[in-house]
Structure formats: C-alpha cells, structure tokens
Amino acid sequence: MGRFFQSDLFYNLVPLLVTAALIFVVVRARRQPLWAEAYRRIGRNKIALTALGVICLYGFVALLDSIGSTDPKTQTRRTLLDRVFEKEKEKTYSAPGARMTTGEPIPSPLKAPGTHLLGTDGVGDDVLYRTLKGCRTAFIIGGLTSLIATPLALCLGLLAGYFGRRTDDAVQYTYTVLSSVPSILLLIALILVLGRGLLQICLALGITRWVGLCRLTRGETLKHRDRDYVRAARALGVSNARILARHILPNLLPVVIISVTLGFSGLILSEAILSYLGVGVGAEIGSWGNMIDAARDELARDPVIWWNLTSAATALFVLVLAFNIFGDALRDAVDPRLRSS
Amino acid sequence: MPPLLQVENLRTYFHTPRGIAKAVDGVSFQVEQGKTLAIVGESGCGKSITALSLLQLVPEPAGYIEGGRILFEGRDLLDLTWDQMRRVRGDDIAMIFQEPMTSLNPTFTIGYQLVEAMTMHGKFTGAQARQRAKDLLARVGLQDPAQALRQYPHELSGGMRQRVMIAIALSNEPKLLIADEPTTALDVTVQAQILALIRDLQREQNMGVLLITHDLGIVAETSEEVAVMYAGQIVEYGPTSAIFHEPRHPYARGLFASLPARGRRGQDLATLEGIVPPPTAWPPACRFEPRCAYRWDTCAQVPPKYHPADSDRPVRCHLYDPEIADRPARGAAPIAKEPVAPDPTVEAAR
Amino acid sequence: MLRYVLRRILYAVPILVGVALLTFVLFYASASPQSLARRNLSTRNPTQEQIQQWLKDHGYDKPLSVQFKNHVTGLLVFRFGKSDATGEPIWNRIKQGAGPSGLVASLVFLTGLTAAISFAVAVAYFRGTYVDYFGTFLCVLLMSIVFIVYVIGLQYLLGKILKYGPIAGFQTGIAAWKFVLLPVVIGVLAGLGSETRLFRTFLLDEINQDYVRTARAKGVGERAVLLRHVLKNALIPIITSTVAAIPALILGSLVLENFFGIPGLGSYLIDAINSQDFAVVRAMVYLGSILYIVGLILTDIAYALVDPRVRLE
C-alpha cells in the first residue's frame, strides 16, 4: 500500500481525479436553479469569461506538470511539461532569444541559441520553463489550502452558530486568539516549526485562513438558525445533524464558494511573499516566489537581468488578476445583493 | 398670476437591465399657493418619483428626467443650472420624507442638521440660526428644544424625528412643501398630530403643499384637490369632495371602494385584484386594462385620452370619452366580474 | 470613557494568555531542544556538556511545566530572555528597532489611509462614470500585484533610475526622512488599490442612504454631501477595517526594512528567521499580537468617537 502512494500511478491519478471532480461539479451545478441563473449572468460577462479562460489555461499547464512518469535511468520523475522543455542547461544568464550568455566577462555562445524565448537564469535554466513550472505550485497552494481550511471553517462555524453557548464560546475564543496573532507572524512561526515544504505551507496557510471563513459561516448560520424553515424542521423532529446538513449548509454554499474563490488569489500571493521571507517552498520546487526572490539582486547587475523577475511577476499578476475578476463576477452573479457597485 | 407650481407632461425614466422604465410618464398637475394637492395611488405607481423629480433628486445615473416642464412661479426648474437648482431646494421648495428613522444623518446632532439647512441659503447667520432652530423645534412640538438641539437622531422617537424633519423643511419658510408619505411609518395617534401640525403651519405661512400618499384616509381632511396616479400616469384629477363622492376611473372606484364606510357596514371590503405591473412592461394601450373590471376590446387596443385642459374632472378612461363609439353606458355592469359600485356616501372612515 | 477602556483592556487578558499558550505549544512542545541547541552552537560537533550548558543558559533544561510558567509570566511582563542564536538580550534589540520600524510603519499607515480615503472620495464623486469604472479597474490591477514586486520594481525605478532617494541605509533624527521616503512611498502605493476599492464600497453604501437625500433636499451641494455627510458615516466602517491593516503593516516593515537596510524590528525578524532563532521569533509573535490587540482597543475608542450610537457604558 505504501508503495502505491509513491507510485507514478498515484501521482498521475490524483490530479486527473481532481480535475474530473471539478468538471463534474461545475456541470452538475448548472442544473440547480440558483446556479443556472448565475451561469447565465457569467455567460453574458465577457471579461469574466476571459478571466475564466485564463484560469483554465494556467490549470492546464499545472495539469501537464502533474502527469508524468519516472525515468528508469535517473530514477527522477519527469512530467509532460519537463518532456516538452527537454533542453540542455546553459552555463548562465542569457537574454530572451539571445545567442550568447550575459553576465560573464567574456560572453560564450549558447548551446541552444535563440530557443530561450524568455532567456535563461543564473544556473542556465530556461526561464519560460521555470515560469510554467510555477503554475502547479500556485494551484496546489491555493487548492490544497482551501481543502484544508474550508471544511474546518465550515464545521466549526456551523457548530458554533447552530448550538451557541459553550460551543460558540470555545470556537470564538479559538479564532479570536488565532486572529490576534498577525497572520504573517503566525505563518512564519508555523513554518519554522513545521519545516519548509509544499504540504507544510498549505497546512500553515490553512491554519491562518480558516478564521475568516469560520466567522462568516458562524454569522450566516446564526441568521438561518432562527428562520421559520429551520424552526419548522426542528418542530417536526428532524435531527440536528440533518438540519445542519440538509437545510442550513446548502444555503451557505454560495457565500462559501464566493469567499473561497476570492481567497484563492490571496493564497497565491502569500506563496510569493513567504518565499521572499525565506519560509517559502523549498528551492527545489519551481515557484514564482522563488524566482522573484532569486531575482531581487539581478536588477542591480550590469547589464540588468530583468527577464527572470518580469516573467515570474507577470505570470503571477495575470493569474491573480484573473481570479480577482472572476471572483468578483461570480459574487455579482450569485448574489446581486452583495454587488460591489 | 400663474399657479405656484405647474407641472406639464413630466416624464422621468430609468435605465434598467430590462429596458427603460417609464416611472413617470406624462404627468401634469398644479399646486396653488396655500392649497394642498394630494397624489394618491398604490406603491409602485410613480408618486414618489414624481415628487423627487420636482427637486431633481431622482437617483442618478439610472434615473433621468426625459422631458416636460416644471414651472415654479413661472420659471422652468428644468432650465436651471445645477447650482441654481441647489438654491431652490430647501429654500423655495422643501421636502419631507417617509422614513423618519433613516432620513436624518445619524452622526450629526439635530441642532447641526437644522442650522445647516438655514445657513446653507445664507438667510441666517450662525447665532440667528441657532436661536431660530430652538424656536422651530418648540413650534413643531418638542418638549425641550434646547436639549433636542444637542441630541442625536437615535435618541428621539419616530414621531419626534418626523417633527424635526418638518422643522428642517420649514426652516427657510418655503413656498412649497412636498410631503412624501409623511405619516406612513408612524403610529396612528402620532399620524394625526403630524398632519394637524402640517396643516397649521401651512395656514400660518400660506404654503402650497403637495401631499404624496397611498392612505386615502388622510386625503379627505387635508387636501383641496386629488390626483389619482396609476402606472406612471394621472388617471383622474379633481376636487377632493367630487372625487370622494363619485370616483369615475375604474381604478379610482376600486381604490375608494376599498375604504371602509359606514354605508357598507357588514359587507366585505372590496379589494383591487392584482398588482401594479413593473414599469418596464406597462400594458400598451390602457395601463389599467388587465386589472379593470369594466374592460372591453377597445381598451387593449386604443390608449385612452386624457385632457386636463378641457375639463375640471379629467379622467383617463374610454368610459368617459365621447369619441369612443362602442363604449357601454357609464356605470353599466362590468364585463368581467362583479361591479365595484361607486358609492356616493363614501367618506373616509376614521 | 475610562471605564470603557479599562473593560476593553480586561477583555484582552484572556486573549493574551491564549496567545502565550499558542506560542508555547508552537515553540516548546513541537521542537526538540536538543536539535535547537545543536543548530545554534557554533562548534561543529558540540559535546554533550556544551549542549547541556546551552540548554541551561537558555532555560530549556527545566521540566515543561516550569518552562511554561516562565514563558507565560515572562511574556506578560515583557521579559523575552536571550536570543537563541547570539545570546544577546532580545529586549535590547526591540528597543533599538522600535524607533525606525515605528517611524516607517506609522508613516505608511497614515499616508496610506489619507491617500486611500481621498482617492475613494474622488472615485465615489464620479460614480457611474468612466472615471469610476477605470478607477475601480485600476484598483483591481494594483491589488493583483504581489507586494515584493512593488518593492523590487519601485526601488529600481524610483531609487536607481530616478534617484529620488537613497536605496539603503538609515540615520536617526531628522536625517531619517531621506531614508524612509522611498520605503514609505512604496508601502503606500502597494496598499492603495485594495484600500481605495474597499473604501469606495463603504462610501457608495452610504450614498444611497435616506439621510443623503434629505441633505440634498435641504440644498446641500454635492461636494459637501460627500465630504461632510457621507464621509463621516463611511468613517465608521473605514475605522473598523483599519485593524485589518496591522498584519499588512507588519509584513510591510518586514519586507521594506529588509530591502532598504533599515535596522528595525522587521530586519531583526528576518535575520532571526534565517538563523532559525526561535526565541526572537517567539518574542516577535507575541509583540505583534499585543500590537494587534492594542490596535483593536484604539479602534473601539475611535469608533465610539465617530458613531454617537455607540454608547460608552
């Protein structure tokens, strides 16, 4: 069994299953009246559709970078993306599309001149390849953290809001204490203790992120708890668990989905900041944060090495912007009362 | 001498996602000095938008005044610049609103809001304005005016706040007061006091009053003339007593029949079926036709005419248009259902 | 008023105890002191005696319960102990770093707040027009750029190319303004997008209230309506939201101080992260929480001052 979790099959199955589940949910949701109306509104919103397209494109690259097989010779796992960018490493920096290296006293010719569309970085890696590698990290950070934080926040928020009294006190005290530690400090502390790594970072981000959603869930549950339909259900002898799962939870879903979507961009931004502070994902994992962090001294060089920073920053900016725009459109479409304008 | 306020063919439209909403669509009326005109109708018929249009306070950018004339003492308010119009507001024409709970700014004291209204128009300086504010609050019936000046709106009751609103409105001795549902949100006993106050002040200052209400009960005792509004148009216009004794338009008949009356004790109160259609989808010909008990084929095809100039009791209904050949005799049995008989003895039951 | 403040401070005590507990669980219970000692001793292969000595020096040799007691009481009276890495008393460095950090952070906070409110008012004044539309879109663009890109990019643009100020270093006293100018400008610009957008929604929420209509009907001009009536009411949610700016300010000092070589608490913390100095991180986490709680209390007071409906009883 342990072997299975290490195997290529497992590593390939997970991203495919996640993608399939996502598509399934999106297709099924369309049949629900509330969501059908939201779909129609988003369908009319060209900017939102463009943003969604951009997100899907990034997601596709992340998927390409998740499926692969272990090379029997070197015993390293190589993904489809790795295979596409199968090139020899250059010696050092080279400008986009250049034929000679940069930053050496005497420039030397490149091994693959003119093929590095975005140039190469200090250790001679193709910058385009490094940038695309960042997609997977970004999606894992956003997705896995949401998967950790959302169920936690939902459970505690529902319980606190529904049962009140002691439960509510305990949950409120917990998140008040947690939110009293400024999130960036808590993140640093958690990652120092847990160690650096993708999973640890998601866990740490999850611990700092569930508070906001929990507060929201608790408030919404409080509102629904005293509504007539819940009272009626209670009077009919429906069990608490069933009321929570069947009556209250479905009413919270739109708010939760909007908040998770809008939170996604914040998570992606956090990764870059954590990398800069020296508590990000390890250097061996390709991420935009690592690229930006590595590039901070490159602007001081002569000639200026700008392409590393620009590529990573642009890739990050476009994805975050797409999530911000799509999240706003989703909010407007699902709940017109929450409209920002 | 021209009337104090003369509105001609006022049209106020709104851009909505479902198209253009003709909230006010060709409304004409006039208010004489010292007299009261009541505009009555169900919610959604365009009464409040009419009132807001007069001061050009229609919520922008969705709403806009499409056309018409608003002649105040002979000059058209729609020709004024933004700043000229600002000077008319609160000075020549003042307005009080339906919601006394939210119509005052919660973060400023009563005194500040009253004084601001006066100094805004340069008629009073600071010290004068404060003295006058105290006098006004006493005049509108606040027990301790000096203390009320220092209080915040949340410290007063709904009735007290509406009195403050009236004090603000009257602070510059306006020539015209627009009262948009001034008593709807208040208790019945307080309603009567507020109405009496408005009436007394009207007499003292010889103001014209435009009263917007859906409450027919308060119309009879406060106003000289009534305009019945439906779906953005005035459907009937005339002296209060005449309309109360004999409402002509089927909508007005329905409206007045829904008042409890001594003559019909023991009977069920009549109700109007249905609701006002949304302003983006007014029926093409007669707008009341889908709800009308007297309708016949012509009603759905030809828009009824309305001539306020020709008659002192204009009615927007084919039943009263001699040019319509196939109209049934007036007051004949309605085609669709039970007649809502016009009751000559109707009086506003109090 | 005094009673209100005192009560707020009393409320904060259980939360501070919670924070102390949290930091204890994080730092004492989950990291082995042995490995901590090994990491921080300079000699390559420390002998067992050296390790024991280090543990004793830093108080890690006592039973967990005693450590907990020392930890909590220490934090409550601001006795942070010695740095794990250098052995230097932490309190000294905090005293040194507080000045520069406070200067940069408070300038960023005040300038940023003023700028964001001004822009939000301007955008709200032109609501429904293209100015509003493009302003809002610009805000979304600005808030999609990661903070460190602002810092790296603007330092390069303003410092190296346009030479508006020195790109690193610090001096105390009046001369400090030269060195904090660029960090403050960058800090303000980085937060402008999201704050302006947020404040705009607060303003627009108020603009549709009934009392605004009343003010207009009184003949108050549009500018006075916005600047007097609407803004004063919108300040209530704006004040509430400023507490949320504290974590962002802390992040700002971390990155900006490190990048511009300002010897503040942010630089101290980054050094501590790099040398895995748990004692310093612990102290900073606690200090940050105190700052946050003090911020909350100040917010409550400011809130009560602006909104007469909040009774101070």
CSV table of all heavy atoms in Angstrom, one decimal, chain C residues 38-71:
chain,number,residue,atom,x,y,z
C,38,ARG,N,21.9,22.1,19.0
C,38,ARG,CA,22.9,21.7,18.0
C,38,ARG,C,22.9,22.8,16.9
C,38,ARG,O,24.0,23.2,16.4
C,38,ARG,CB,22.5,20.4,17.4
C,38,ARG,CG,23.1,19.2,18.1
C,38,ARG,CD,22.5,18.0,17.5
C,38,ARG,NE,22.4,16.9,18.5
C,38,ARG,CZ,23.4,16.3,19.1
C,38,ARG,NH1,24.6,16.5,18.6
C,38,ARG,NH2,23.2,15.4,20.0
C,39,ARG,N,21.7,23.2,16.5
C,39,ARG,CA,21.7,24.2,15.4
C,39,ARG,C,22.4,25.5,15.8
C,39,ARG,O,22.9,26.2,15.0
C,39,ARG,CB,20.2,24.4,15.1
C,39,ARG,CG,20.0,24.6,13.6
C,39,ARG,CD,18.5,25.0,13.4
C,39,ARG,NE,17.6,23.8,13.5
C,39,ARG,CZ,16.4,23.9,13.8
C,39,ARG,NH1,15.9,25.1,14.1
C,39,ARG,NH2,15.6,22.9,13.8
C,40,ASN,N,22.3,25.9,17.1
C,40,ASN,CA,22.7,27.2,17.5
C,40,ASN,C,24.1,27.2,18.0
C,40,ASN,O,24.7,28.3,18.2
C,40,ASN,CB,21.7,27.8,18.5
C,40,ASN,CG,20.5,28.3,17.8
C,40,ASN,OD1,20.6,29.2,16.9
C,40,ASN,ND2,19.4,27.8,18.1
C,41,LEU,N,24.7,26.1,18.3
C,41,LEU,CA,26.0,26.1,18.8
C,41,LEU,C,27.0,26.2,17.6
C,41,LEU,O,26.8,25.6,16.6
C,41,LEU,CB,26.3,24.8,19.6
C,41,LEU,CG,25.8,24.9,21.0
C,41,LEU,CD1,25.8,23.5,21.7
C,41,LEU,CD2,26.6,25.9,21.9
C,42,SER,N,28.0,27.1,17.8
C,42,SER,CA,28.8,27.4,16.7
C,42,SER,C,29.8,26.2,16.4
C,42,SER,O,30.1,26.0,15.2
C,42,SER,CB,29.6,28.7,16.9
C,42,SER,OG,30.1,28.7,18.3
C,43,THR,N,30.2,25.5,17.4
C,43,THR,CA,31.1,24.4,17.1
C,43,THR,C,30.5,23.4,16.3
C,43,THR,O,29.3,23.1,16.4
C,43,THR,CB,31.7,23.8,18.4
C,43,THR,OG1,30.6,23.7,19.3
C,43,THR,CG2,32.8,24.6,19.0
C,44,ARG,N,31.2,22.7,15.5
C,44,ARG,CA,30.7,21.7,14.6
C,44,ARG,C,30.0,20.5,15.3
C,44,ARG,O,28.9,20.3,15.1
C,44,ARG,CB,31.8,21.2,13.7
C,44,ARG,CG,31.4,21.5,12.3
C,44,ARG,CD,31.8,21.0,11.3
C,44,ARG,NE,31.3,21.8,10.2
C,44,ARG,CZ,31.7,21.7,9.0
C,44,ARG,NH1,32.7,20.8,8.8
C,44,ARG,NH2,31.2,22.4,8.0
C,45,ASN,N,30.8,19.9,16.1
C,45,ASN,CA,30.3,18.7,16.8
C,45,ASN,C,30.3,19.0,18.3
C,45,ASN,O,31.3,18.7,19.0
C,45,ASN,CB,31.1,17.5,16.5
C,45,ASN,CG,30.7,16.9,15.2
C,45,ASN,OD1,29.6,16.8,14.8
C,45,ASN,ND2,31.8,16.7,14.4
C,46,PRO,N,29.2,19.6,18.8
C,46,PRO,CA,29.3,20.0,20.2
C,46,PRO,C,29.3,18.8,21.1
C,46,PRO,O,28.6,17.8,20.8
C,46,PRO,CB,28.0,20.8,20.4
C,46,PRO,CG,27.1,20.4,19.3
C,46,PRO,CD,28.0,20.0,18.1
C,47,THR,N,30.0,18.9,22.2
C,47,THR,CA,29.9,17.8,23.2
C,47,THR,C,28.6,17.9,23.9
C,47,THR,O,27.9,18.9,23.9
C,47,THR,CB,31.1,17.9,24.1
C,47,THR,OG1,30.9,19.2,24.8
C,47,THR,CG2,32.5,17.9,23.5
C,48,GLN,N,28.4,16.8,24.6
C,48,GLN,CA,27.1,16.7,25.4
C,48,GLN,C,27.1,17.9,26.5
C,48,GLN,O,26.1,18.5,26.7
C,48,GLN,CB,27.0,15.4,26.1
C,48,GLN,CG,25.5,15.0,26.4
C,48,GLN,CD,24.6,15.1,25.2
C,48,GLN,OE1,25.0,14.8,24.1
C,48,GLN,NE2,23.4,15.6,25.4
C,49,GLU,N,28.3,18.1,27.0
C,49,GLU,CA,28.4,19.2,28.1
C,49,GLU,C,28.0,20.5,27.5
C,49,GLU,O,27.3,21.3,28.1
C,49,GLU,CB,29.8,19.3,28.7
C,49,GLU,CG,30.1,18.1,29.6
C,49,GLU,CD,30.7,17.0,28.8
C,49,GLU,OE1,31.8,17.1,28.3
C,49,GLU,OE2,30.0,15.9,28.7
C,50,GLN,N,28.5,20.8,26.3
C,50,GLN,CA,28.3,22.1,25.6
C,50,GLN,C,26.8,22.2,25.4
C,50,GLN,O,26.2,23.3,25.7
C,50,GLN,CB,29.0,22.2,24.3
C,50,GLN,CG,30.4,22.6,24.4
C,50,GLN,CD,31.1,22.5,23.1
C,50,GLN,OE1,31.0,21.6,22.4
C,50,GLN,NE2,31.8,23.6,22.8
C,51,ILE,N,26.1,21.2,25.0
C,51,ILE,CA,24.7,21.2,24.7
C,51,ILE,C,23.9,21.5,26.0
C,51,ILE,O,23.1,22.3,26.1
C,51,ILE,CB,24.2,19.9,24.1
C,51,ILE,CG1,24.8,19.8,22.7
C,51,ILE,CG2,22.7,19.8,24.1
C,51,ILE,CD1,24.4,18.5,22.0
C,52,GLN,N,24.3,20.7,27.1
C,52,GLN,CA,23.7,20.9,28.3
C,52,GLN,C,23.8,22.3,28.8
C,52,GLN,O,22.9,22.9,29.4
C,52,GLN,CB,24.2,19.9,29.4
C,52,GLN,CG,23.8,18.5,29.2
C,52,GLN,CD,22.3,18.3,29.1
C,52,GLN,OE1,21.6,19.0,29.8
C,52,GLN,NE2,21.9,17.4,28.3
C,53,GLN,N,25.0,22.9,28.7
C,53,GLN,CA,25.3,24.2,29.1
C,53,GLN,C,24.4,25.2,28.4
C,53,GLN,O,23.8,26.1,28.9
C,53,GLN,CB,26.8,24.6,28.9
C,53,GLN,CG,27.2,25.9,29.5
C,53,GLN,CD,26.9,25.9,31.0
C,53,GLN,OE1,27.2,25.0,31.7
C,53,GLN,NE2,26.4,27.0,31.5
C,54,TRP,N,24.3,25.0,27.0
C,54,TRP,CA,23.5,25.9,26.2
C,54,TRP,C,22.0,25.8,26.7
C,54,TRP,O,21.3,26.8,26.8
C,54,TRP,CB,23.6,25.5,24.7
C,54,TRP,CG,22.9,26.5,23.8
C,54,TRP,CD1,23.5,27.5,23.3
C,54,TRP,CD2,21.6,26.4,23.4
C,54,TRP,NE1,22.6,28.2,22.5
C,54,TRP,CE2,21.4,27.6,22.5
C,54,TRP,CE3,20.5,25.6,23.6
C,54,TRP,CZ2,20.2,27.9,21.9
C,54,TRP,CZ3,19.3,25.9,23.0
C,54,TRP,CH2,19.2,27.1,22.1
C,55,LEU,N,21.5,24.6,26.9
C,55,LEU,CA,20.1,24.4,27.3
C,55,LEU,C,19.9,25.1,28.6
C,55,LEU,O,18.9,25.7,28.8
C,55,LEU,CB,19.8,22.9,27.4
C,55,LEU,CG,19.7,22.1,26.1
C,55,LEU,CD1,19.5,20.7,26.4
C,55,LEU,CD2,18.6,22.7,25.3
C,56,LYS,N,20.9,25.0,29.5
C,56,LYS,CA,20.8,25.6,30.8
C,56,LYS,C,20.7,27.2,30.7
C,56,LYS,O,19.9,27.8,31.3
C,56,LYS,CB,21.9,25.2,31.7
C,56,LYS,CG,21.6,25.3,33.2
C,56,LYS,CD,22.7,24.7,34.0
C,56,LYS,CE,22.5,25.1,35.5
C,56,LYS,NZ,23.7,25.1,36.2
C,57,ASP,N,21.6,27.7,29.9
C,57,ASP,CA,21.7,29.1,29.6
C,57,ASP,C,20.4,29.7,29.1
C,57,ASP,O,20.0,30.8,29.5
C,57,ASP,CB,22.8,29.4,28.6
C,57,ASP,CG,24.2,29.3,29.2
C,57,ASP,OD1,24.2,29.2,30.5
C,57,ASP,OD2,25.2,29.4,28.5
C,58,HIS,N,19.8,28.9,28.3
C,58,HIS,CA,18.5,29.4,27.6
C,58,HIS,C,17.3,28.9,28.3
C,58,HIS,O,16.2,29.1,27.8
C,58,HIS,CB,18.5,29.1,26.1
C,58,HIS,CG,19.6,29.9,25.4
C,58,HIS,ND1,20.9,29.5,25.2
C,58,HIS,CD2,19.5,31.1,24.7
C,58,HIS,CE1,21.5,30.4,24.5
C,58,HIS,NE2,20.7,31.4,24.2
C,59,GLY,N,17.4,28.2,29.4
C,59,GLY,CA,16.3,27.8,30.1
C,59,GLY,C,15.5,26.6,29.5
C,59,GLY,O,14.3,26.4,29.9
C,60,TYR,N,16.1,25.9,28.6
C,60,TYR,CA,15.4,24.7,28.0
C,60,TYR,C,15.5,23.4,28.8
C,60,TYR,O,15.0,22.4,28.4
C,60,TYR,CB,15.9,24.5,26.6
C,60,TYR,CG,15.5,25.6,25.6
C,60,TYR,CD1,16.4,26.5,25.1
C,60,TYR,CD2,14.1,25.7,25.2
C,60,TYR,CE1,16.0,27.4,24.2
C,60,TYR,CE2,13.8,26.7,24.3
C,60,TYR,CZ,14.7,27.6,23.8
C,60,TYR,OH,14.4,28.5,22.9
C,61,ASP,N,16.3,23.5,29.9
C,61,ASP,CA,16.6,22.2,30.6
C,61,ASP,C,15.5,21.9,31.7
C,61,ASP,O,15.5,20.8,32.2
C,61,ASP,CB,18.0,22.3,31.3
C,61,ASP,CG,18.1,23.5,32.3
C,61,ASP,OD1,17.3,24.5,32.1
C,61,ASP,OD2,18.9,23.5,33.2
C,62,LYS,N,14.7,22.9,32.0
C,62,LYS,CA,13.7,22.7,33.1
C,62,LYS,C,12.5,21.8,32.5
C,62,LYS,O,12.4,21.7,31.3
C,62,LYS,CB,13.2,24.0,33.6
C,62,LYS,CG,14.3,24.9,34.1
C,62,LYS,CD,13.8,26.1,34.9
C,62,LYS,CE,15.0,26.9,35.4
C,62,LYS,NZ,15.7,27.6,34.3
C,63,PRO,N,11.8,21.2,33.5
C,63,PRO,CA,10.6,20.5,33.0
C,63,PRO,C,9.6,21.4,32.3
C,63,PRO,O,9.6,22.6,32.5
C,63,PRO,CB,10.0,20.0,34.3
C,63,PRO,CG,10.8,20.5,35.5
C,63,PRO,CD,12.0,21.2,34.9
C,64,LEU,N,8.8,20.8,31.4
C,64,LEU,CA,7.9,21.6,30.5
C,64,LEU,C,7.0,22.5,31.3
C,64,LEU,O,6.8,23.6,30.9
C,64,LEU,CB,7.1,20.6,29.7
C,64,LEU,CG,6.9,21.0,28.2
C,64,LEU,CD1,8.2,21.3,27.6
C,64,LEU,CD2,6.3,19.8,27.5
C,65,SER,N,6.5,22.0,32.5
C,65,SER,CA,5.6,22.8,33.2
C,65,SER,C,6.3,24.1,33.8
C,65,SER,O,5.7,25.2,33.7
C,65,SER,CB,5.0,22.0,34.4
C,65,SER,OG,6.1,21.6,35.2
C,66,VAL,N,7.5,24.0,34.2
C,66,VAL,CA,8.3,25.1,34.7
C,66,VAL,C,8.5,26.1,33.5
C,66,VAL,O,8.4,27.3,33.6
C,66,VAL,CB,9.6,24.7,35.4
C,66,VAL,CG1,10.4,25.9,35.8
C,66,VAL,CG2,9.3,23.8,36.5
C,67,GLN,N,8.9,25.5,32.4
C,67,GLN,CA,9.2,26.3,31.2
C,67,GLN,C,7.9,27.1,30.8
C,67,GLN,O,8.0,28.3,30.5
C,67,GLN,CB,9.6,25.4,30.0
C,67,GLN,CG,11.0,24.9,30.1
C,67,GLN,CD,11.4,24.3,28.8
C,67,GLN,OE1,11.0,24.7,27.7
C,67,GLN,NE2,12.2,23.2,28.9
C,68,PHE,N,6.8,26.4,30.9
C,68,PHE,CA,5.5,27.1,30.6
C,68,PHE,C,5.3,28.3,31.5
C,68,PHE,O,4.9,29.4,31.0
C,68,PHE,CB,4.4,26.1,30.7
C,68,PHE,CG,3.0,26.7,30.4
C,68,PHE,CD1,2.8,27.2,29.1
C,68,PHE,CD2,2.1,26.8,31.3
C,68,PHE,CE1,1.5,27.8,28.8
C,68,PHE,CE2,0.9,27.4,31.1
C,68,PHE,CZ,0.6,27.9,29.8
C,69,LYS,N,5.5,28.0,32.8
C,69,LYS,CA,5.3,29.1,33.8
C,69,LYS,C,6.2,30.3,33.5
C,69,LYS,O,5.7,31.4,33.4
C,69,LYS,CB,5.5,28.6,35.2
C,69,LYS,CG,4.7,29.3,36.2
C,69,LYS,CD,5.1,28.9,37.6
C,69,LYS,CE,6.2,29.9,38.1
C,69,LYS,NZ,7.1,29.4,39.1
C,70,ASN,N,7.4,30.0,33.2
C,70,ASN,CA,8.4,31.0,32.9
C,70,ASN,C,8.0,31.8,31.7
C,70,ASN,O,8.1,33.0,31.6
C,70,ASN,CB,9.8,30.5,32.8
C,70,ASN,CG,10.4,30.0,34.1
C,70,ASN,OD1,9.8,30.3,35.1
C,70,ASN,ND2,11.4,29.2,34.0
C,71,HIS,N,7.6,31.0,30.7
C,71,HIS,CA,7.2,31.5,29.4
C,71,HIS,C,6.1,32.5,29.5
C,71,HIS,O,6.2,33.7,29.1
C,71,HIS,CB,6.8,30.4,28.4
C,71,HIS,CG,6.2,30.8,27.2
C,71,HIS,ND1,6.9,31.3,26.1
C,71,HIS,CD2,4.9,30.8,26.7
C,71,HIS,CE1,6.1,31.6,25.1
C,71,HIS,NE2,4.9,31.3,25.5
